[in-house]
Amino acid sequence: MPPAIKMAHMDKPIFSITPGYGEHQLREFHYSQVVRYGDRVETAGQGGWDDDWCYPESVRDEVIRAFDNVERTLATAGASWLQVITVHSCHVPDADGRIGPEHLDTMVEQFRLRAGDRAPLWTCIGVAALAGPKMRVEIQVAAIVEDKD
């Protein structure tokens, strides 16, 4: 485990950024991607962007990339999807005003693929817009990391 992560057991939060896009967000918008405080890890909302802020054409691929970005971000704080306890996802509805199966079925598929036997709490919210004009999904998580010292 990296030395900075071991220090998280003290009484001070440890903020980290995701290599790549997180550096841009910190520089331009002055926020971190993840914080670890003791055994608790919380992420900022992660979208389905790549390091160049490009989004996939399909909602399915965007949701999968958002899960990938959550995974990358959790790793900077010594956590993984296997330790996630809560998920908040925001979705821009389809043209018919619904959060359709391309969103929901892909979310469920990714939970099953990445969270193992754990079924985290999930709040799924439809929103009119997200921060990026091309964003259709954003995922924020919290995890509990139990050290094996």
Side-chain angles (χ1 to χ4, degrees):
M1 186 174 300
I5 302 303
K6 290 244 185 228
M7 291 175 44
H9 294 290
M10 298 183 156
D11 61 353
K12 132 180 163 177
I14 306 294
F15 293 90
S16 302
I17 60 169
T18 308
Y21 65 82
E23 296 161 5
H24 173 269
Q25 294 304 86
L26 181 61
R27 184 177 59 253
E28 297 297 317
F29 301 109
H30 196 67
Y31 77 94
S32 299
Q33 295 297 313
V34 64
V35 63
R36 180 166 177 166
Y37 187 78
D39 63 356
R40 187 168 178 88
V41 175
E42 295 187 40
T43 70
Q46 302 296 303
W49 51 67
D50 64 15
D51 285 343
D52 296 318
W53 294 102
C54 295
Y55 295 84
E57 290 293 320
S58 77
V59 170
R60 174 178 168 69
D61 289 343
E62 187 174 339
V63 170
I64 291 169
R65 191 178 289 161
F67 269 79
D68 291 343
N69 288 339
V70 168
E71 190 170 301
R72 286 173 63 188
T73 300
L74 285 168
T76 68
S80 75
W81 270 105
L82 294 173
Q83 296 151 324
V84 169
I85 58 168
T86 62
V87 177
H88 295 137
S89 64
C90 296
H91 304 262
V92 175
D94 297 334
D96 64 1
R98 295 181 36 224
I99 301 173
E102 199 172 12
H103 287 266
L104 298 178
D105 291 351
T106 307
M107 291 288 297
V108 172
E109 169 192 284
Q110 293 300 304
F111 286 143
R112 289 186 171 131
L113 179 69
R114 297 174 192 246
D117 291 337
R118 177 169 284 178
L121 303 178
W122 178 27
T123 300
C124 179
I125 303 165
V127 297
L130 292 164
K134 294 182 179 179
M135 286 179 73
R136 296 167 288 186
V137 64
E138 186 169 12
I139 302 171
Q140 178 185 25
V141 305
I144 302 294
V145 179
E146 297 177 18
D147 287 335
K148 306 282 191 239
D149 291 345

